[in-house]
Amino acid sequence: MSTATETAEREKEAFARVELARHPNRPRALQVIAGGFDGWVELRGDRLFGDDHAVVGGPAWLDERPVMVIGQEKGTDPMTRALHNFGMPHPEGYRKAIRLMRQAERFGMPVICLVDTPAAHAGVGAEERGQAWAIADSLLCMLGLRVPTVSVILSEGGSGGALALALADRVLALENAVYTVAPPETCAAILYRDAGQRARAAAALRPGVDTAHDVGLVDELVPEPEPGAHAHPDVVVAMLRGAIVRHLDALRDVPIDDLLQARAARYRAAGG
Amino acid sequence: MDVVTAVTARRQAPERRITAPGPDMRPVAPAGTVACPSCGRRSVADRFRAELNVCSQCGHHARVPAVERIAQLADPRSAQLLDGGIGDRDPLEFDDGTPYPAAVARARERAGVDEVFSVARAEVGGVPAVLASMDFAFLGGSLGSVAGEMFTRGCELAVAEQRALVAVCTSGGARMQEGIASLAQMARCSVGVAAVAGAKLPYLAVLGDPCFGGVSASFAAQADIILAEPGARIGFAGGRVIEQAAHEYLPDGFQTAEFLLAHGMVDMVVARQRLRPTISSLLKLYMA
């Protein structure tokens, strides 16, 4: 096989991975919340500007324990996808998440973040209201939160928009999810000045969560039944719930100051 | 390396005679002169440098190399550059025609610095500080693992020696060639900022042109006090991306320092000539 064919094959394969992660039937944050937690109550608004539907959050029960669940929601059909802005949060989404995390801290609730976004929203309003500032604040908030935290990369973890909710004590990822510095389209636009070369960018970026695991941003890959989470969303939700409970149980016994120290040490070393 | 020596070394490097003082200055004849990238006015290179790369005709703030920035801000002879000594990383073995290590080597040659961040121990107005300065000429000031490590070491030095932290941020954002490892730098740098905050030391950021993406969405926006240079373009996503992705009309002056001031995102817009005195009086207040 010629090198050109090999390269084309490799690019096709890499982008197929991205497309699998974007499969419309993969479990979304609201499905995980409905199937994995009991009595979730949605709380809304950032108390500053508005309510961003790309981020949903509120307290719920997980095995008799109150926890704060925050998720990036992409929507499941054209109408809900538009409502949730395809999972691309505005600054008020991150500020709502920060508000809920602080609240969880006050009431001693562990925080669970379900990450699923191509990227933070790029738009005039988002810039006017400080998208960069909101994400930067969320990073600091998660690093200092005095309760155990678990994040799950459900399908797509794109850019700082995903990282903002993923600086947890434990980060899990579904095995077919992708976690990238930016969506392949944006990477291609930056590297090759052509968003159309997204497959080439995908191949170069190694978008799979295994790469994120290698650099220390992800701790555990949660296996998906064949051919992937989109075919068995309920099974996957149950498996995720089990993994979250297992990690929370382990984290519960760690004194909070030790936990914070370990969290800082871990992200100090992340990325090599 | 002593900063004065470093700056002199840059100045004497023959290939820098033409393009000096900034990488965005178009090479023009005759040698030893530069043209303002905004209005095109020609100045003698040394004079332009003495005027801090600010055009005397239109006031345009041209880019400043990282080490020269440290020399501009530090008290005379107070700055000591930290030795980086951090080995290069290539986590993805990235190769898009140019292997990443080759791109780094070329950037090194062109920009005349080892990496994006130059970090120095210095005094500003007599106040002990750590100056961390980014060089846009080095791969667009992008945040890779070496840059992230340098910044974080700067933070740790500030904590260890009870110094204020001053960061000059100018960057296109994450370094795509390092992929997810580049994203991780946002986390790493945030750990550094949190340590400085925890030690109750002031952190002041100066945002130059441009400042975007993973840099603005982490340590640039996490400072206690944020100064921006006039006309600097600052934001999360670039204007071109927004126009293409959201098909939105961009308002006049969108994402300029002045725009961000009006929207409450920065504390002040400070002309480069006023940066040093402004930083110095602020640090005195916060380190009293």
Side-chain angles (χ1 to χ4, degrees), chain A residues 123-124 127 133 136 268 272, chain B residues 89 149 156 188 222 236-237 255:
Chain A
V124 173
E127 295 292 327
W133 279 257
R268 170 71 180 83
Chain B
R89 328 276 165 100
E149 178 66 24
E156 288 161 352
R188 169 181 279 175
Q222 287 166 345
F236 180 63
Q255 294 185 321

Side-chain angles (χ1 to χ4, degrees), chain B residues 4-233:
Chain B
V4 179
T5 326
V7 171
T8 318
R10 292 181 69 98
R11 198 172 294 177
Q12 285 165 350
E15 72 278 8
R16 296 208 55 82
R17 291 298 298 179
I18 299 169
T19 54
D24 58 348
M25 305 302 297
R26 279 167 280 159
V28 289
T33 71
V34 290
C36 168
S38 179
C39 72
R41 179 193 165 91
R42 281 188 190 165
S43 331
V44 174
D46 285 345
R47 161 84 58 89
F48 195 70
R49 188 185 294 107
E51 284 163 358
L52 312 180
N53 293 15
V54 177
C55 177
S56 56
Q57 178 167 278
C58 71
H60 176 76
H61 283 50
R63 285 173 191 146
V64 181
V67 178
E68 200 153 314
R69 187 68 99 150
I70 290 173
Q72 288 180 4
L73 295 179
D75 294 350
R77 281 175 298 281
S78 75
Q80 256 184 305
L81 277 180
L82 254 59
D83 183 13
I86 305 163
D88 290 338
R89 328 276 165 100
D90 185 10
L92 300 184
E93 294 171 357
F94 186 93
D95 185 353
D96 63 340
T98 313
Y100 175 49
V104 168
R106 203 173 52 194
R108 209 160 266 165
E109 201 175 301
R110 281 190 190 165
V113 279
D114 278 350
E115 248 287 348
V116 164
F117 257 113
S118 295
V119 178
R121 202 188 250 119
E123 291 189 4
V124 182
V127 179
V130 169
L131 298 182
S133 172
M134 302 182 88
D135 208 314
F136 190 78
F138 192 99
L139 294 177
S142 56
L143 181 64
S145 5
V146 175
E149 178 66 24
M150 278 297 280
F151 175 81
T152 313
R153 284 190 191 178
C155 294
E156 288 161 352
L157 179 69
V159 173
E161 299 184 356
Q162 293 289 295
R163 291 167 178 270
L165 176 66
V166 178
V168 183
C169 306
T170 161
S171 169
R175 188 170 298 171
M176 293 297 145
Q177 295 92 331
E178 291 190 22
I180 190 80
S182 168
L183 190 68
Q185 304 313 314
M186 294 172 69
R188 169 181 279 175
C189 294
S190 299
V191 172
V193 172
V196 173
K200 300 205 181 330
L201 294 163
Y203 166 28
L204 191 151
V206 178
L207 311 190
D209 180 70
C211 189
F212 281 93
V215 169
S216 62
S218 62
F219 56 89
Q222 287 166 345
D224 298 304
I225 301 161
I226 305 179
L227 315 183
E229 289 198 320
R233 289 160 302 159

Side-chain angles (χ1 to χ4, degrees), chain A:
Chain A
M1 204 171 13
S2 76
T3 331
T5 328
E6 271 172 39
T7 310
E9 260 324 290
R10 212 163 44 89
E11 289 178 3
K12 213 173 123 190
E13 207 173 291
F15 197 70
R17 245 197 122 149
V18 175
E19 282 186 316
L20 178 60
R22 288 175 179 171
H23 195 290
N25 293 348
R26 285 178 68 84
R28 300 290 169 223
L30 283 172
Q31 279 170 273
V32 176
I33 292 171
F37 299 83
D38 300 308
W40 181 65
V41 182
E42 183 175 8
L43 303 179
R44 293 173 52 176
D46 67 349
R47 303 294 190 267
L48 295 163
F49 178 80
D51 184 41
D52 183 1
H53 298 289
V55 176
V56 297
W61 295 98
L62 181 66
D63 279 352
E64 324 284 302
R65 248 184 305 173
V67 294
M68 183 65 74
V69 195
I70 299 165
Q72 290 168 328
E73 172 63 37
K74 279 185 170 179
T76 48
D77 55 61
M79 221 165 92
T80 51
R81 273 197 279 277
L83 172 72
H84 295 289
N85 195 32
F86 310 91
M88 297 187 293
H90 279 73
E92 39 281 15
Y94 295 107
R95 290 181 179 131
K96 170 161 71 177
I98 293 169
R99 174 189 151 229
L100 295 180
M101 288 192 278
R102 293 261 173 254
Q103 196 178 93
E105 183 177 47
R106 249 179 349 122
F107 294 95
M109 297 179 195
V111 172
I112 319 289
C113 291
L114 306 171
V115 177
D116 193 8
T117 182
H121 184 81
V124 173
E127 295 292 327
E128 286 174 339
R129 301 193 291 280
Q131 185 69 287
W133 279 257
I135 292 171
D137 276 353
S138 191
L139 294 173
L140 280 185
C141 173
M142 286 207 81
L143 281 177
L145 217 55
R146 295 184 65 80
V147 283
T149 53
V150 175
S151 291
V152 184
I153 316 291
L154 289 180
S155 292
E156 209 177 353
S159 87
L163 190 75
L165 295 184
L167 291 194
D169 293 314
R170 294 287 183 275
V171 184
L172 319 180
L174 288 177
E175 67 170 340
N176 289 326
V178 292
Y179 196 177
T180 55
V181 63
E185 289 81 3
T186 310
C187 283
I190 292 170
L191 287 171
Y192 318 124
R193 303 197 175 273
D194 174 14
Q197 299 201 36
R198 55 191 194 174
R200 185 176 164 206
L205 281 174
R206 294 170 53 194
V209 280
D210 46 331
T211 317
H213 182 265
D214 291 345
V215 304
L217 282 183
V218 167
D219 301 291
E220 184 179 316
L221 305 185
V222 179
E224 299 178 22
E226 284 293 327
H230 57 279
H232 312 277
D234 295 342
V235 177
V236 169
V237 169
M239 286 173 76
L240 267 185
R241 178 198 159 91
I244 293 170
V245 168
R246 174 163 48 82
H247 282 285
L248 277 186
D249 281 345
L251 291 170
R252 194 164 40 168
D253 299 331
V254 184
I256 190 64
D257 287 320
D258 295 357
L259 207 56
L260 283 174
Q261 217 166 47
R263 201 186 292 161
R266 178 239 175 110
Y267 290 107
R268 170 71 180 83

